[in-house]
Amino acid sequence: MVRVLPATAPAITRFAPDYPAAVLDRTATALVTQRGILDMAMLDAVRRAAAAAPLDARAYLILGHQQLLDGTPVRAGATLEAGQRLDPRQRLIHLLLLDRYLRTARYTDAAAQFSVLARILSATQPAIATAMAQMIKEPETRDAVRRTLRTDPTLERGVLVALAKSDTAPEAMFALASPAARADARNGGSWGPALVGRLVAKGEYAVARSAWQRIYDVAPAEATALIANRGFARTMPAPPFDWTLTASGLGAADIRNGGLTVDYYGRDSGTLASQLLVLRPGRYQFAFGVDPGKTDTASKLFWSLTCGLTEPSSDPGRLINVAVTATARPRRIATDVTVPNGCPAQTLSLRGEAGDFPAPLGVTIRDLDLRPLSPPNSDSAAGPIS
């Protein structure tokens, strides 16, 4: 009956309340739901169950955890290790032993626990990464976790991603990451994009841009530029403060031969390329070059600049909306723009707008330029916020 019914079923409570398996099942569940706080009656029942079922690892888990609470860590470690030998897949025992090994600088044993947990739950399991992220914040376990994570780069990435999505400051992130993890930060799915994305979502644009520069090792000269990769060099894209390029049913934008080559299919309206800017309030001049070609079709291309992360639209709230048109000769197009107060970040977008009938067009854009027009000694002097 106890093998078929849950331990809390009325029949078990009535006919077999003290059956060892039922007692251990109920108490193991209570250990989690009650955050490890068990009363004496429950603990006495577990001790009786342990004597009657000495091969059940749950008794060692419950009693070992209680010994930790009672301030007998050496005895608790021996109890938990005995339970682990009985059931090597008991996850809570692994976590308790891991915490114990880290606190006592038993790094080799801690690394073994990480290895087992990685096989049981997967190294990138959010629960494990979140638990390790919390441990790395604690002064007692920070150094131990850092040393242990060096043995498992995949788990280190998972822990750093969990930290990046929390409220951990960027400086703390860089201090915690190993050299290998700092190099990995720029890869998709790693902690770098997660950190920058979290800061942008919170509206901390200047801090996000500073972290982005550090993650992607942006050269000092490029860091001061108002537009990243304005000359369209062939580099690894690093959004959001670098180009986000589209390749979809809308069209394709690609960096080739020092220019932005755009094939717009003209069926739908949408964004083909975009970049997040962080400009101070002030007056600017925006300019770009267009290679020879033909763009006088029903479809149109426009450079748009809007405040914040909003998608450009047809409303008049955009800061600029300048058409991209080609002629028989290379041409350069320029326009002035004013960034108002209360506009801490801006989205620069190349947008295609479809006409009444599909009309594909292609164009190559070169040498973007954005320069301040305000006097250098003005309080509103333009420039990237650092």
Side-chain angles (χ1 to χ4, degrees):
M1 185 170 63
V2 296
R3 293 176 182 175
V4 175
L5 299 176
T8 55
I12 300 297
T13 305
R14 180 179 179 184
F15 294 109
D18 298 324
Y19 193 83
V23 170
L24 296 176
D25 193 11
R26 287 195 305 269
T27 311
T29 301
L31 185 70
V32 177
T33 59
Q34 298 177 196
R35 300 182 180 273
I37 306 303
L38 305 175
D39 58 38
M40 291 306 300
M42 298 180 74
L43 291 171
D44 289 340
V46 169
R47 293 186 181 96
R48 291 192 296 270
L55 300 183
D56 195 318
R58 290 175 295 183
Y60 294 84
L61 164 65
I62 297 164
L63 296 177
H65 181 268
Q66 186 60 40
Q67 288 163 357
L68 286 174
L69 295 180
D70 292 341
T72 55
V74 175
R75 186 180 178 191
T79 302
L80 293 169
E81 288 170 351
Q84 189 175 72
R85 288 192 293 271
L86 290 172
D87 184 2
R89 297 185 63 83
Q90 175 51 255
R91 293 171 291 179
L92 290 177
I93 289 181
H94 282 294
L95 286 172
L96 291 173
L97 284 175
L98 174 60
D99 180 78
R100 182 67 198 148
Y101 294 154
L102 289 173
R103 291 179 185 276
T104 54
R106 294 172 59 179
Y107 303 117
T108 301
D109 292 331
Q113 294 298 324
F114 271 124
S115 178
V116 174
L117 284 168
R119 291 196 297 272
I120 294 175
L121 296 177
S122 162
T124 56
Q125 180 92 357
I128 296 297
T130 301
M132 297 301 100
Q134 185 59 41
M135 292 172 69
I136 209 170
K137 292 180 181 181
E138 300 295 333
E140 300 88 352
T141 54
R142 180 184 297 126
D143 291 339
V145 171
R146 290 178 63 186
R147 289 183 57 177
T148 306
L149 287 179
R150 300 300 187 266
T151 68
D152 193 333
T154 303
L155 185 58
E156 183 181 21
R157 171 191 269 202
V159 170
L160 289 171
V161 168
L163 288 170
K165 293 179 178 179
S166 70
D167 58 353
T168 306
E171 282 301 321
M173 295 289 307
F174 289 109
L176 291 171
S178 67
R182 287 194 291 270
D184 174 65
R186 66 192 64 183
N187 295 323
S190 191
W191 61 274
L195 175 63
V196 174
R198 187 250 295 178
L199 294 170
V200 168
K202 292 177 63 178
E204 299 179 15
Y205 302 113
V207 178
R209 192 173 194 273
S210 178
W212 171 83
Q213 292 171 354
R214 190 168 176 181
I215 289 166
Y216 294 99
D217 196 22
V218 179
E222 184 68 17
T224 59
L226 303 184
I227 300 177
N229 196 11
R230 58 199 180 281
F232 300 112
R234 189 78 178 183
T235 59
M236 183 178 72
F241 298 101
D242 195 352
W243 294 111
T244 298
L245 303 177
T246 294
S248 65
L250 178 69
D254 190 25
I255 293 175
R256 293 199 299 264
N257 302 320
L260 180 64
T261 301
V262 180
D263 292 309
Y264 173 48
Y265 305 146
R267 295 189 293 261
D268 302 295
S269 298
T271 298
L272 293 154
S274 65
Q275 182 179 142
L276 187 63
L277 309 182
V278 183
L279 305 174
R280 298 180 185 277
R283 295 177 58 245
Y284 299 81
Q285 184 182 72
F286 174 72
F288 57 94
V290 184
D291 280 2
K294 182 179 179 181
T295 58
D296 54 343
T297 66
S299 302
K300 302 294 181 182
L301 284 175
F302 297 89
W303 279 111
S304 295
L305 186 68
T306 56
C307 284
L309 308 178
T310 57
E311 179 75 10
S313 62
S314 59
D315 64 37
R318 289 176 290 188
L319 303 180
I320 61 169
N321 192 49
V322 56
V324 179
T325 56
T327 59
R329 296 180 179 181
R331 65 176 306 198
R332 192 153 185 84
I333 302 171
T335 187
D336 292 351
V337 57
T338 298
V339 176
N341 292 320
C343 181
Q346 308 80 32
T347 299
L348 177 66
S349 303
L350 180 65
R351 181 176 174 82
E353 295 188 4
D356 294 333
F357 300 97
L361 61 84
V363 69
T364 297
I365 301 170
R366 300 186 186 277
D367 302 320
L368 287 186
D369 187 38
L370 182 64
R371 60 184 61 192
L373 296 177
S374 301
N377 59 353
S378 170
D379 290 340
S380 61
I385 300 174
S386 59

